[in-house]
Amino acid sequence: MDASYSIISVTGTVLLGLIVSLWLPGIERKFVHARIQQRIGPPVSSPGLMAALKFFYKKTIEPCSPLPRLYNSLPIIGFISALLILLFLIPPMYTFGALASLVAVVGFLKIEEVIYVFMGSLSRSVMSLRMPFPDLARGAKHPNVQRYFLEDLSAMRAFRLIAFGSFPIYIALFVPAVMAGSISIGDIVAYQAANGPVLFTLAGVVGTVAFFIGYMILLNEYPFAILKTKADVIEGPYMEYASKYRAFVYITRGFLMFTLGCLFSVLFIGVPPNILSWGILVNLAAAVIFPIIMAVFSAFAPVFTFKQFYPVTAAASVIGVLALVVAFV
Amino acid sequence: MDGKREIIETEITMGTVHSAAIEPYRVRLFVEDEIVRDAEITVGVNHRGIERIMEGLPVEKANSLTEKVCGICSGVHLWNSVLVAEKGLGVEIPERASYIRIIVGELERLHSHLLYLAHGNEVLGHETFSMRLFYIRETVMELLRLIGGNRVQYGVPIIGGIRPRADLDEMKIQRIMDGMDFIEEKVEAFAERFTSDPMVMSRITGVCPISRKDALRLHVTGPTLRATGVEFDLRTEMPCYDPFEFEIITQDGGDVRANLLMRVLEIFESIKIIRQALRDLPDGRVVDRNWEMQDTGIVKSYVEAPRGRLYHSYAIEDGRVRGSIIRTPSMSNIGAMQYACIGHHITDAQLGIVQCDPCFTCTDRAIEIIDLNSEG
């Protein structure tokens, strides 16, 4: 009975997460961006579900990459790391101890971040190729300089994101841990069951602000889209993905949105995702509300350069540290 | 800064076809830690040979071909090309035709400036502003369709005046008046939101500036020149604009902010001119057909296109065009686009280029073919 309960709970929750996550990009685009921009927008199923489905049936083409197999496998690795985070947030999985802890969550999130460095450095789009002869049309100002692909640039930017941009969310993750006195997900949930949600404390509110900014940075949403700014490295690391690999890129983004929403509801509200409990509605609400708020912010923001990005990240990190200090007090 | 003396290690190439660039042009950015140290912009991949096709065509047929140079300021190309013939043949046009030409010209300026603002905001990453500006621009496009019958190539000027179908009746005048009210209200609202948004201002203030001295040195033209503080507008030298009161807008700094605001303020001046033209529209004919074709030498004509000084010239022999030359404003501004990027972040480089309102496809006026084999 216990084993079947666990199996149904885990598989059911993951399946529900997958289904909901396929609609999140559509909700973001259709019901927020399009409404604000006074246009009709795409059908709600298009960006997350139908686009992914379509790409599964497209012809697979070989990317222009020095290691095409590794390059193609990266979106799948990203999806698996997001899946593992969700998996170990589900109560029956708390028996796995170390894997159901904040350290594991941080580790899986780091995998998700690091893959962009590899994606960028392994992509070689034709759009940034040098002509196969000296460019003499205007006299070739600097004929023999080292060439960068635009995606190399996005790899370096992904590295900077890991170094600076991810501070706010990682600091915010540890606010509930400080209050619960444990990094175990199970202990944090149990603490909130006994003492009420962390969200309704001062540290929780301040930590939520840092978490939300970190959430936007992690998802590379405007104005923090330095990884794929339209002006220079459009699409950035995703440039060469086609067919089913591009489908995985789409699915992973939606799934990460859902997973981070669940992570918030576990750490700040104390409700873990479980399809066999009414609490799943709280998880769904968090998973839907976060993208909607994010879409509102992004619709009214230009894209940041590092000049704006660093101060905002630093301020968000300070807010996170403040939440930690309040949590200690 | 002399880029050739620098030891530059890294090149970032974009194009000639790139999703971030609307038109086919090639940008080579020579960077150090994402700061642009030198830049090179190359055109020449979209040469359509319009001057060559014009060679030997009957003048009116050749004139209508010039509309195909640009999909944004098509009307001003036709206007200028017709002006060349009128200057050469000594044709005087009816006053009503002159007014309607100006209305169409200023509507085109509105359409071009709104497109520029929308594109600028798109490059800035502000999709919402961009979409709303396109929404405002739609009204201008519909007004142009109302007058000329088409949204892009309206074919209004002909030698001796304008096409009779483009004459304005009461209904059209009222629709244009209403359109001006709508555009003015919407652009005012946009300007208020735009200038009070700290995130937007932080992204554009002091970015890629061109000084007044450098603008003159680089032969910058049009609103990009006026954004550096130089008070020069060819409309003040065109006799057809004499009856109208308008201000020459200038801005200081020549940065992205100045360029964007420049176009916003020019929109209000264009609305002002259109209202005056509609209010004082003279009665009478719109075309004078009492002229005779004759041979002319090379005749030159300059007009203030939405992007700056536009040059057309050709000679007429046996009623046919000979030696046509067209130079678009972007040709003058390419040097400034390259210069503006230097010393700025690579993400700002595209903004630096876009701030000069480039139209590279229309700039592709000449092509040079180099046989590499013969050079050894």
Side-chain angles (χ1 to χ4, degrees), chain B residues 15-49:
Chain B
T16 49
V17 176
H18 189 272
S19 335
I22 289 175
E23 293 178 293
Y25 65 99
R26 184 168 157 75
V27 187
R28 299 173 75 197
L29 299 171
F30 304 96
V31 299
E32 279 174 7
D33 194 25
E34 298 204 21
I35 302 297
V36 178
R37 297 294 172 207
D38 202 359
E40 188 181 271
I41 296 173
T42 313
V43 293
V45 290
N46 197 40
H47 178 63
R48 288 163 294 162

Side-chain angles (χ1 to χ4, degrees), chain B residues 102-114 140 176 180 183-184 223 226 233 235 241 244-249 262-278 304-306:
Chain B
I102 283 169
I103 291 168
V104 172
E106 292 307 312
L107 279 172
E108 193 170 76
R109 197 179 310 280
L110 286 181
H111 142 52
S112 173
H113 282 6
L114 285 166
V140 188
I176 298 168
M180 291 306 103
I183 293 162
E184 189 175 48
R226 295 194 285 279
D233 189 328
R235 283 180 291 179
Y241 274 92
F244 305 105
E245 283 181 15
F246 63 98
E247 285 176 34
I248 300 175
I249 303 293
M262 179 74 219
R263 269 72 172 193
V264 171
L265 297 172
E266 283 205 348
I267 284 173
F268 296 122
E269 293 308 308
S270 289
I271 292 173
K272 202 192 280 180
I273 294 171
I274 293 169
R275 280 187 178 141
Q276 288 176 60
L278 290 171
E304 182 74 16

Side-chain angles (χ1 to χ4, degrees), chain A residues 36 135 141-142 146 299 303, chain B residues 11 26 38-39 128 132 203:
Chain A
I36 290 172
D135 192 354
K141 274 186 174 179
H142 308 278
Q146 178 193 339
V303 67
Chain B
E11 173 192 338
R26 184 168 157 75
D38 202 359
T128 302
R132 288 186 180 181
R203 275 290 276 116

Side-chain angles (χ1 to χ4, degrees), chain B residues 88-250:
Chain B
L89 302 172
V91 178
E92 289 284 331
I93 66 163
E95 211 178 357
R96 185 175 175 86
S98 172
Y99 272 54
I100 293 172
R101 280 184 186 183
I102 283 169
I103 291 168
V104 172
E106 292 307 312
L107 279 172
E108 193 170 76
R109 197 179 310 280
L110 286 181
H111 142 52
S112 173
H113 282 6
L114 285 166
L115 182 80
Y116 166 87
L117 291 169
H119 180 44
N121 275 286
E122 194 189 3
V123 171
L124 200 59
H126 208 304
E127 256 187 38
T128 302
F129 276 163
S130 177
M131 289 285 177
R132 288 186 180 181
L133 285 158
F134 275 120
Y135 172 65
I136 302 168
R137 174 177 167 267
E138 191 59 22
T139 307
V140 188
M141 303 302 288
E142 282 303 299
L143 291 177
L144 285 166
R145 188 184 62 79
L146 181 77
I147 298 170
N150 281 319
R151 286 162 59 94
V152 177
Q153 292 172 2
Y154 4 93
V156 172
I158 50 172
I159 300 172
I162 62 159
R163 285 186 200 281
R165 66 168 158 75
D167 194 7
L168 299 181
D169 56 23
E170 282 306 313
M171 184 274 288
K172 285 181 182 175
I173 290 171
Q174 190 54 48
R175 288 270 300 273
I176 298 168
M177 282 288 197
D178 294 345
M180 291 306 103
D181 293 344
F182 173 82
I183 293 162
E184 189 175 48
E185 183 195 331
K186 293 287 177 190
V187 174
E188 267 175 10
F190 161 74
E192 201 180 314
R193 281 288 312 278
F194 184 75
T195 50
S196 61
D197 190 324
M199 282 203 284
V200 172
M201 284 297 123
S202 146
R203 275 290 276 116
I204 59 175
T205 307
V207 171
C208 300
I210 304 165
S211 69
R212 183 190 170 113
K213 189 178 158 191
D214 287 321
L216 293 170
R217 178 175 63 84
L218 294 162
H219 299 275
V220 176
T221 182
T224 314
L225 175 66
R226 295 194 285 279
T228 65
V230 179
E231 198 175 331
F232 179 76
D233 189 328
L234 262 181
R235 283 180 291 179
T236 57
E237 295 176 20
M238 294 169 71
C240 59
Y241 274 92
D242 287 346
F244 305 105
E245 283 181 15
F246 63 98
E247 285 176 34
I248 300 175
I249 303 293
T250 55

